[in-house]
Amino acid sequence: MYNKAVSEHNPVFVLQVRTLPAFIDTMLAAPLLLLLLFVPVRPSSAAQLPNQGQAKDVPIATNGQPFPWDRMRLPKTVYPLHYDLTIHPNLTTLDFTGVARILLDVHEDTSMVVLHAKQMQVSNVLLLAPEGVRPLRVLEYPPFHQLALLSDSVLTKGRRYEVQLEFAANLSDSFHGFYKSSYRTKNGEVRVLASTQFEATFARGAFPCFDEPAFKANFTIRIIREPRHISISNMPKVHVHAEISLYFDHFDTTVKMSTYLVAYIVSDFLSISVYAVPEKIDQTAFALDAAVKLLDFYDDYFDIPYPLPKQDLAAIPDFQSGAMENWGLTTYRETGLLFDPNKSSASDKLGLVKVIAHELAHQWFGNLVTMEWWNDLWLNEGFAKFMEYISLDITYPELQVDDFFLGKCFEAMEVDSLSSSHPVSTHVENPTQIQEMFDDVSYDKGACILNMLRDFLTPEAFEIGIIRYLKRYSYQNTVNSHLWESLTNKWFSGDELDVRAIMDTWTLQEGFPLVTVEVRGREVRLSQERYLKTDDPSLTEGFLWQIPLTYMTSASNTIHRFLLKTKTDVLYLPEKVDWVKFNVDMSGYYMVHYAGEGWNSIIKLLQHNHTALTSNDRASLIQNVFQLVSVGKVRLDTALELSLYLSRETEIMAVTQGFGELVPLYKLMEKRDMAALENQMKVSEKKLLHNATRGLIDRQEWTDSGSVSERVLRSYLLLFGCVRNYPPCVTKATQLFNKWRESDGNMSLPVDVTMAVFVIGARTPEGWDFLFEKYRSSLQMSVKSRLKSAMAVTPLQDKLKWMMEQSLHGEVMKTQDLPDVIVSVSRNPRGYKLAWDFFRANWHTLIKKFDLGSHTISYMVTGVTSQYSTREMLIEVRSFFGSLTEETGSEMRCIRQAYETIEDNIRWMDTNLPLLQGWLDKRSRRDVHEDL
């Protein structure tokens, strides 16, 4: 799954087979199915899930009888081998009915079958045994989403049986399970479709199943639909027949796979192998081309041919995450798949191919080889995130994707620097905990530690190991150690490297190391500790990593390597040097502190010859030094002195990281609500902006020329300049907006400058209304996305409030966009109180729509609160979240992260505000002296 919140809020982008026996077919004859169409829908109550894996008391079924299983994980007594599913959705009454026939392999003698079903009515449950057909008694336990099918006779170990269940439910009105989506045609007609999203634990809401990733099976799916619709699923259609006014679509049997990868859609989509609503089908050609290229790449890289006969892509109008890797039918947000060469920006193109690369990588990592349980989700998501960059570097070299990988590691470190972080591989039990695994640690940290290992082993050795892993475990489930065993070989002079010993330190403990380097002549003293934003030093004790260090010096461009296994160690250089840079290109997932005169020597290097280091090295130095300010290792004025070199910087990652460290200084001040301080800081802010960006923004042309990185950087800088009221930006953007508006939006603006232009236009009521009309009428998803983002930057509070209300309502602005709107408004100095009030008032609606523990909820919790920096706001935030119950989210990790972040902001402001003011005064005197 491509997690939208994880992947699209980087500052660069925001501001962004087999047949069944004949007797089974007979059981599915038309009269039974027609009878099913009229089964009434009476969903069971949806009890919230407790945190513990076992019920405190004997679980009681809905009929008052004891439920025979007391654990959240299913028993291993029976395994599904094959599902025969018939589904009939009614897009008028918004419900569905179905029949599931499941072939079971009995591993232990048992008289019960426990499986999942959530919020559905299950009836007519039969056991199809060689001795004949007989009914089964059914008990339901909603807290664990479980059904127990009880047999009067024992199901014998080693034999196979089938169970058949009829079921009925409503189409979900969330974004999970089998859910309703809709879109509006340009003529204003609302059309309804039904689509699936089963990861992680939502297949159980669509059909009774063994909804855990290790219960892999084959699936044969039949969809009943009206003639005006089409249906698609994981496999190609092998047969269609009509009865009365309905069509029955029969799909080929899938390969062996987990329930969360099953998919089917009933809609009026058109297709060129990429499915979309009819009016947007002309925006699918680029995605098709990208998918073909990327599948070819993965076939070669993994040395395993893509195992299915087709790979469709579908753009769904309502979609919570960024995309989903359903085997043979990947699904996407419309913004993640639709592309108009004339209206889409360079970053749109980059974002689109990254999403497709991610989902297609999953066809091997995740689908072919699947983690045993959700604790090792990173084996899926970390790999897919990592392979985005590996694949695009080869297939789309012009996108310069390497320029953006570093940002993923910085984002992961933001979360991983808190005591509320978690190991990459973490014990999880219930669905809320599972949902919480879809975060920056599983995705971005997973990708970054894989990149570190690849750099350490060499790309060639790494690829050999990956191929070995995929071939050894095809159609199976794995744990961490399977990967490390596959990557272990006699790489180095015949000595076997213990990959598992190294990587267990990165996956089984949370956080990451801070390596302190002190150079004394030819001697380099090393020490490691956990980097942690806390005022409790005891929380950093007991951590030790095996760190693949890399370094280079002023005396040599050679990259030297050293595996630091202990708390301290010493290196010896062949000669004295002017400077040393550790973590070359930041290929390692750790920070470096240069003790003694180390930082001063680096500042001198950057001021006089910054290109002696790569752009990744420069970006990592910026990130490291500002993060070290947060933990008191480096003074703020040292970090600010280092940032001055940015006026000569031209590379995107270094620039955006520099701005990314400086902008929060403004944001923290804005949200202190101290008028005197705010006025005092106005002049200082302009000086700081001027110092960091002198010449950088001025050099940008208002065109679409240049490489992808240059174009993305231009968009970023011009938008930054306009948001921060840099006069030349504001003047030019105002001129362009007025001309564009006079042409009724028909004038062709350079795509890369549109965000800057729209943001300025949104400052007046008339301009905002004009942007909204263009938003409502546009069919180009990338244009709509930019318009929406710009409208959320307006200073007009009534417009901000209206946007949030409309997004919640979901007709004019899609509810899927509500999290983006809320967080954008919260980052707006005129809107952050509105966002916080709206967020609190609608909390219960939000957790129902977006699901407890989801990354979407986490994104909103942390996004809305991350820039608060006063004790008053901390009390207010604690008061609200403290009033919640476990059922309404009080135990979510993101709430602890929010507290920690605000506490860190308060400490930072208390410590560094005086230092900031003093440095700015000093700079001011220096500037005056230089002018004289």
Side-chain angles (χ1 to χ4, degrees), residues 506-746:
W506 296 94
T507 59
L508 302 183
Q509 60 184 352
E510 71 270 24
F512 59 90
L514 167 63
V515 177
T516 297
V517 177
E518 186 169 10
V519 181
R520 296 185 179 181
R522 289 177 48 228
E523 189 177 272
V524 182
R525 298 187 178 184
L526 306 169
S527 64
Q528 63 161 293
E529 62 189 295
R530 182 183 177 187
Y531 176 90
L532 192 64
K533 291 180 179 177
T534 180
D535 52 3
D536 183 355
S538 69
L539 295 176
T540 64
E541 294 171 2
F543 288 85
L544 185 69
W545 286 265
Q546 292 197 26
I547 312 173
L549 296 178
T550 55
Y551 63 96
M552 57 186 292
T553 71
S554 58
S556 167
N557 286 329
T558 302
I559 298 175
H560 304 276
R561 300 179 182 275
F562 179 73
L563 186 63
L564 179 63
K565 296 183 178 182
T566 52
K567 207 77 173 170
T568 61
D569 213 327
V570 179
L571 287 174
Y572 294 93
L573 303 173
E575 58 190 302
K576 285 187 178 182
V577 296
D578 296 326
W579 53 263
V580 60
K581 167 67 172 72
F582 272 77
N583 202 357
V584 179
D585 280 334
M586 201 168 164
S587 57
Y589 186 73
Y590 58 94
M591 285 188 198
V592 183
H593 172 42
Y594 299 92
E597 287 298 303
W599 280 112
N600 289 335
S601 66
I602 282 169
I603 290 170
K604 287 177 187 172
L605 173 66
L606 291 174
Q607 287 173 342
H608 296 105
N609 184 23
H610 69 277
T611 56
L613 298 174
T614 66
S615 62
N616 272 10
D617 276 328
R618 305 195 296 270
S620 69
L621 287 168
I622 294 166
Q623 191 258 2
N624 284 192
V625 77
F626 276 96
Q627 295 304 309
L628 290 169
V629 172
S630 293
V631 294
K633 295 279 187 182
V634 172
R635 282 174 54 94
L636 177 62
D637 46 8
T638 301
L640 292 169
E641 285 293 324
L642 185 146
S643 75
L644 291 176
Y645 102 91
L646 282 169
S647 60
R648 297 186 302 282
E649 184 58 83
T650 58
E651 298 293 335
I652 186 166
M653 202 63 240
V655 171
T656 55
Q657 191 58 36
F659 283 40
E661 300 293 351
L662 293 169
V663 167
L665 309 191
Y666 310 144
K667 294 294 183 184
L668 294 178
M669 294 169 205
E670 286 170 350
K671 291 177 174 56
R672 280 234 153 174
D673 288 332
M674 298 166 67
L677 176 63
E678 204 170 329
N679 291 333
Q680 183 186 2
M681 296 308 297
K682 290 288 185 192
V683 176
S684 301
E685 177 187 327
K686 287 181 180 175
K687 290 176 184 171
L688 188 56
L689 178 64
H690 183 62
N691 283 328
T693 64
R694 183 188 297 151
L696 196 54
I697 295 176
D698 296 335
R699 288 197 295 269
Q700 302 305 311
E701 298 175 354
W702 292 68
T703 68
D704 285 338
S705 62
S707 68
V708 169
S709 287
E710 288 168 342
R711 293 180 61 186
V712 173
L713 180 58
R714 176 188 299 123
S715 296
Y716 179 86
L717 288 170
L718 296 180
L719 176 59
F720 180 90
C722 285
V723 169
R724 305 311 306 178
N725 293 312
Y726 183 53
C729 277
V730 174
T731 300
K732 181 68 173 178
T734 302
Q735 291 171 353
L736 286 172
F737 180 78
N738 289 338
K739 288 182 181 177
W740 181 69
R741 187 178 166 200
E742 287 163 10
S743 75
D744 193 31
N746 293 317

Side-chain angles (χ1 to χ4, degrees), residues 27-289:
M27 296 289 292
L28 279 170
L32 172 63
L33 289 170
L34 292 172
L35 181 66
L36 276 171
L37 306 185
F38 303 100
V39 174
V41 179
R42 294 193 300 274
S44 59
S45 61
Q48 287 292 333
L49 294 169
N51 260 344
Q52 71 276 12
Q54 293 197 287
K56 293 173 183 173
D57 305 306
V58 174
I60 302 299
T62 51
N63 66 355
Q65 295 180 12
F67 192 78
W69 184 251
D70 64 355
R71 299 171 197 173
M72 195 164 285
R73 298 283 296 275
L74 297 179
K76 302 291 196 295
T77 50
V78 298
Y79 276 72
L81 296 174
H82 181 271
Y83 293 77
D84 196 299
L85 294 176
T86 300
I87 312 283
H88 177 223
N90 188 321
L91 299 190
T92 304
T93 58
L94 302 180
D95 52 28
F96 62 94
T97 55
V99 179
R101 186 177 291 104
I102 311 172
L103 178 64
L104 304 173
D105 186 27
V106 180
H107 286 214
E108 297 175 28
D109 287 357
T110 183
S111 58
M112 70 174 182
V113 175
V114 182
L115 71 168
H116 290 113
K118 179 183 178 184
Q119 291 182 280
M120 63 172 58
Q121 181 193 14
V122 175
S123 59
N124 298 334
V125 180
L126 303 174
L127 178 69
L128 311 179
E131 301 82 32
V133 177
R134 60 180 184 269
L136 294 173
R137 194 157 58 91
V138 181
L139 295 178
E140 181 182 8
Y141 187 58
F144 288 179
H145 304 158
Q146 288 176 358
L147 297 178
L149 314 183
L150 306 180
S151 171
D152 294 334
S153 58
V154 172
L155 307 184
T156 308
K157 177 181 178 179
R159 293 182 63 182
R160 294 181 177 185
Y161 301 81
E162 285 191 299
V163 291
Q164 177 181 295
L165 310 93
E166 298 173 14
F167 56 94
N170 292 317
L171 287 172
S172 170
D173 60 0
S174 71
F175 299 97
H176 294 120
F178 192 23
Y179 70 95
K180 182 199 84 165
S181 177
S182 65
Y183 70 96
R184 192 181 296 270
T185 68
K186 60 184 176 186
N187 298 325
E189 178 191 355
V190 176
R191 296 187 181 174
V192 175
L193 60 129
S195 185
T196 58
Q197 170 60 43
F198 291 161
E199 191 177 34
T201 59
F202 301 106
R204 64 191 65 172
F207 59 93
C209 58
F210 297 77
D211 201 14
E212 295 180 8
F215 288 107
K216 288 190 170 187
N218 306 93
F219 296 80
T220 302
I221 294 171
R222 297 169 175 84
I223 303 288
I224 306 173
R225 60 173 172 90
E226 297 177 76
R228 64 197 174 104
H229 294 131
I230 65 163
S231 72
I232 48 178
S233 187
N234 304 82
M235 297 294 286
K237 209 172 287 181
V238 291
H239 180 62
V240 180
H241 77 270
E243 289 187 17
I244 311 176
S245 60
L246 293 173
Y247 281 77
F248 292 65
D249 293 336
H250 297 233
F251 296 92
D252 207 349
T253 301
T254 70
V255 294
K256 189 178 176 186
M257 67 187 196
S258 304
T259 50
Y260 77 88
L261 295 170
V262 174
Y264 37 88
I265 301 168
V266 178
S267 68
D268 67 343
F269 287 174
L270 296 180
S271 166
I272 55 163
S273 284
V274 178
Y275 289 83
V277 302
E279 291 173 347
K280 297 173 184 174
I281 194 66
D282 60 345
Q283 298 177 51
T284 58
F286 180 73
L288 178 59
D289 181 62

